Amino acid sequence: MNIGMIGLGRMGGHMAQRLREGGHAVVGYDSSPQSDRDVDSMEALVKALSSPRVVWVMVPAGEPTDSVIETLAQLLDAEDLVVDGGNTRYADDTRHARYLDQRGIRFMDCGVSGGVWGAERGYAVMAGGSLEDFERVKPVLDALKPSGPDGLVLAGGVGAGHYAKMVHNAIEYGMMQALGEGFATMAKSPCITNPAAVMTSWKSGSVVSSWLLDLLANAFEDDPTLSGMPPVANESGEAKWMVESALELGVPTPVTAAALHMQQMSRGGADDILRAISTMRAQFGGHVTKV
Amino acid sequence: MNIGMIGLGRMGGHMAQRLREGGHAVVGYDSSPQSDRDVDSMEALVKALSSPRVVWVMVPAGEPTDSVIETLAQLLDAEDLVVDGGNTRYADDTRHARYLDQRGIRFMDCGVSGGVWGAERGYAVMAGGSLEDFERVKPVLDALKPSGPDGLVLAGGVGAGHYAKMVHNAIEYGMMQALGEGFATMAKSPCITNPAAVMTSWKSGSVVSSWLLDLLANAFEDDPTLSGMPPVANESGEAKWMVESALELGVPTPVTAAALHMQQMSRGGADDILRAISTMRAQFGGHVTKV
Amino acid sequence: MNIGMIGLGRMGGHMAQRLREGGHAVVGYDSSPQSDRDVDSMEALVKALSSPRVVWVMVPAGEPTDSVIETLAQLLDAEDLVVDGGNTRYADDTRHARYLDQRGIRFMDCGVSGGVWGAERGYAVMAGGSLEDFERVKPVLDALKPSGPDGLVLAGGVGAGHYAKMVHNAIEYGMMQALGEGFATMAKSPCITNPAAVMTSWKSGSVVSSWLLDLLANAFEDDPTLSGMPPVANESGEAKWMVESALELGVPTPVTAAALHMQQMSRGGADDILRAISTMRAQFGGHVTKV
Amino acid sequence: MNIGMIGLGRMGGHMAQRLREGGHAVVGYDSSPQSDRDVDSMEALVKALSSPRVVWVMVPAGEPTDSVIETLAQLLDAEDLVVDGGNTRYADDTRHARYLDQRGIRFMDCGVSGGVWGAERGYAVMAGGSLEDFERVKPVLDALKPSGPDGLVLAGGVGAGHYAKMVHNAIEYGMMQALGEGFATMAKSPCITNPAAVMTSWKSGSVVSSWLLDLLANAFEDDPTLSGMPPVANESGEAKWMVESALELGVPTPVTAAALHMQQMSRGGADDILRAISTMRAQFGGHVTKV
C-alpha cells in the first residue's frame, strides 16, 4: 500500500527500506536535506499520497513529535490516519489522538523494537488503537514484522502500543542488568578463567539463552573483557515511565528500578548521597574517606 | 565411552537416556529400588565399569553428594574420575577434590542447565577441573550438550563449573523477575487488553526474545492470566551464593538480590519487617493498619 | 493572632489546641457536625476572622483540599492568606496558588510532621511560599513548632513545603525499613535471645538513636515480638512522589524504592510477578511450586 | 575494677580514658611504641593484672584479633576472661571461645558503638556470652555505657554481641542512605532553596529526628552543600555479613543491600556491569555511549 514516512533517521530509514522490500510504496520525508528524502516538505508528502492517507511518524519523542502532529493536523483530511511509531510516552498518545480527532483524523501508536537489526530480522511491533485502524494498516505492519507467527500485536486502545513498548524496554533493562551482574561477578572471581567463553557457551541449551546474550557473545569475539567500553550507561525514558506507572498501579518493580538506578549512578546521580554518607561517617567515627 | 551414573532422578535419568542415545554405555544406579537402575549398589556399579573409570554423580547437593563421594573414595582406584554434576556449592568442590585426591582419584565439577527440556534440546554444560580431565570426559559432555558450536565450556579449575552454573542461575532469576515485573504491570494496567498476547508477540523480533519468554508464552496458551499458579516462588541456593560471592568481590548485584528478596518475601520472610513498620506507624501517627 | 482552621480531625484538632495554648485565637470548622467546631460553615468562619485573614486548611489531600480551596476562593478577599497544611502533592500547590491568585488571595503550603505526638512535642513545620507570607504567619508557625531553635523552615517558594515533607516522609520510610530489617533478622537468628531488648538498649549511645527507635522501644514494652501487629503496611503517596521526582531529577533512590516496594508487596502487589516466575520454573524444570 | 586493654587506637584509647574516669584501673598495651601504653608487652600487661584477670581486646578484626587471642591463650590462666570489643565477625567468636576454652579461659564478645563521640557521650555496648561473665565484667560495661537506663544489653551467648553490633551497623547504613537520598533529591530539585536548612530544621519535632541527622546538621554548619566531601563511601564488613546472614535465614533485606551496593558502586564495583550494558545497547541499537 501507499504510505508516508516522516523521519528517515536510523529507525525510519531502515523501516522505509524494509517496507519497500515488502512491496509498499513509501514516500519519505525528513527535515534534513542531507537525508534520503523523496519530498522536501510535509505538504509535498501529503500531496503525494492517495486518500485516505496513512502517515507514519518516526521522529524523536516529545517536542519533535508534537510539532509534526500539529502540522499534520493542518494538512490531512478526515479519515486520514497518523501512526506514531516513535518512543512517545503513552500518556501523550491520548492527547495526540484527541487533537487529531478534532479534525476527524485517525490516530494509532506503534511501539517498534528491533534496533539496527530490524531491517534484516524484522521489527517487533506493538500497536495501540482501534481494531478498524489496525486492520487498515496491517499490510504495512506485516511487512515490518519478522516472518512467522509472532512479532505483531494490537495491545489495546490508543496508548497501548507505547505502553507495551515501555514495558518491553523495562524488561530489556532488567535482563541486561542481570547479564551484566553475571559477567561482572565472573570477571572479578578468581574461579573463572574466561567469563566471555562461559557466557558464549550459554547461547545453546541454557535457560538464559536470549537475543541479548547472542549480542553480548558477538561483542565478546572482538573484546572478551569489554575493556573498550565505557563504564557508563544512558537511561532512556521508558524504564522511568514504567517504574512510575507501576508505582501508581501498586506493582513493585525492584528489578526495573535497580537497573535504572545503576544507570543513573553511572552518570553521577548518587554523588550527593555518597557525600552525605561520607559526611556522617566522618562525623561519628572520625573516618576520613580517602579518594 | 563407558560411564557410571549415580542418581537417576529427573535430571540424572534424562541425562543417562541422552548419553545412551549418543552411543555411550551407561551403568545407572539410584538408591531407590523403584528407579530404573542397572545395578543395585555402588559397589556393583564400580565393578561394572572398565578402568580408568568415570562416575557421574547426579544427586542432591549437600549431604547426599557428600555421602556418595565418601563412598566412592572407598570404592574407586587412583586415576578414576568422579564428576559432580549436581548443584553443589562451588566452595564444596575444593573439599571434595582434596578428599578424593588423597586416594589419587580425580575430580571435576559440572554445572548442568536445561531442566526437563535437556533430554531433547541438549544440556548447557559448564565444567571445572583440569584440561586433561576435561578432554578425557569430553565425549560424554559432547553427547550431553546441544548440537552446534555452543553449550559446553571449561570454565576454570575445580569449582569453576558450579560457580558458572551459580552465576547462570542468578541471571535466570533476574531475567524471570524482569519478565514477571513486565507481566504484572501490564496485568494491572487498564491500557493493556491482553498481556499474554503482548508477551507472546515478543517471541519474534523483539529485544527480549529469549527461551524464558518462549516458556512463558507456552504457558499462556493454557492460562493467559496465570491465575492457576500460586503467587509464591521457592528460592534455591544459587542466587544466595551468587549474592554472597559478589559481596565479597565488591560487585554490586542489586537485580539478583531483588529477585531473591521477592522470593523470600513470598514465603513470609519479611513479615517481621512489616510488623515493625506497622508498629512504628501506629505509634507515631495513630495509624492502625487494617488487615 | 487570629486564624481559621478548616479540618478538625486528628491532626487539625490537635493543632488547633496547641495554637490556643500558644495564645492564638482559633476559629475551627469541620464538615462533620460531630466535630468540635466553632462555626458550622466556611462562610461563618470567614466572617469570624479579622482582615487580612489567615485560613489554615487541614483536610485530606486531593479532592477534599481542591474543594475547600475552590470554596475559599469565593469567600475570601484579596490579601487574605490560605495555608495548606495537609499532605497535598507539591505539584498541586502551584495550581492552587494560581487559582487563588486570580482573586488576589495569597497561598502558602506547609508540610507538618509529628503525628499524634505533635500536640505535646510540637510539630516540625516546612513552609513553602514567599518570605513576606512566611513572616506574616510566623507567630502561628512558632506556636506549632517545638520549643528550641529547630523545627521550622521556609524551604522555598510555593510547593517547597510539601516537597520537603514528601522527602521527609520518604526518609522516614527508609529508616523504618532499616529498623525493620534489623529487627526481623535478629528475630530469626538463633544468636539473639531477645531482639526487643537489644533494640531498646540502642536508645542511648548508639549511632541509630532516633525517635523512630524510641517509638519501637515503647511498643516493645507491651509486645516484644510484635506478634500482635499484622505483617502488612499501607503505603502513602509521599514515597511514590519522591521516587518519581528523583527519577526525573536523575537521582537514584534505591532505599526509598525498596521500602515502598515491600509495602506494595505486603498488599499482594507482586502476586502476578510471582505467578509468572512460578510458571517459568514449572515450564523449564518440572518444578511444581507447593503452596 | 582492674582491667587490661590491648589496643589503644581511636576506640581503645578513648575507652581506656572513659574507664579511668569511671574509677577503673586500666593497664593499657598497644603494639606501637608511639602509643600511650602503660606496658610494653602483653606479658607485662598480664603480670600487671590481679587474678582472675579481665583483658579487653580492642584491635582490628581478623588476623590482628586472631593473633592477640592466640598470644593471650598462652599467657592467661584458667578463669581469666578475654573480652573481644572489636569488629570481629560473629562466626569467629565461637572459634575464639573454643580455642580459649581449651585452657579454661573465659570469653565474651562486645560490640561497641559510639565512634569518637563515645568517650564523652558513652558507648552503646552489646555483649555476648554467659550471664556469669557478663555480671563479672558489668562494672566496666556500666562505665563505658551512657548514663541512664539504656545503652547496654546482654544479647545472647558467645557471638551475640558482635551479631547485634552487625545488625546495628547495617541499620546505620540504611538510615544514612535514606538521609542521603533525601538530601540528594532536594539538592537537585529546583523547588528547594536550601536542603541543609530543611534537614537541620528536622532536628526537632520531625519523625526523622535522630543522632545521624544531628551529625549531618553539624556538618552543614561548615559546608551546606557538602561539596567538600568526596562522592565515595567505604563499605565495612558488617553490612555484608548482615546481608549474608539474613539470606541464610530467609529474611529479605533490600534496604541494607541497596545501601551496600551503592557504596560498592562508588568504588567502581559496577564498572563491568555497565560495560556489559553499554555493549549490548551498542550491539542492538547502534547506540554508542559517549563518555
Side-chain angles (χ1 to χ4, degrees), chain A residues 183-202:
Chain A
F183 172 69
T185 303
M186 289 196 290
K188 284 279 184 304
S189 171
C191 291
I192 301 295
T193 310
N194 184 343
V198 172
M199 295 189 84
T200 301
S201 82
W202 293 339

Side-chain angles (χ1 to χ4, degrees), chain C residues 165-209:
Chain C
K165 176 78 188 316
M166 169 192 87
V167 172
H168 167 277
N169 283 25
I171 293 172
E172 173 195 314
Y173 268 47
M175 284 185 165
M176 290 196 299
Q177 175 77 18
L179 287 163
E181 292 183 7
F183 172 70
T185 303
M186 288 196 290
K188 284 279 185 302
S189 170
C191 290
I192 301 295
T193 311
N194 184 343
V198 172
M199 295 189 85
T200 300
S201 82
W202 293 338
K203 287 177 66 173
S204 190
S206 84
V207 175
V208 301
S209 302

Side-chain angles (χ1 to χ4, degrees), chain B residues 60 122 132 262 273:
Chain B
E132 190 191 341
M262 187 170 284
I273 299 173

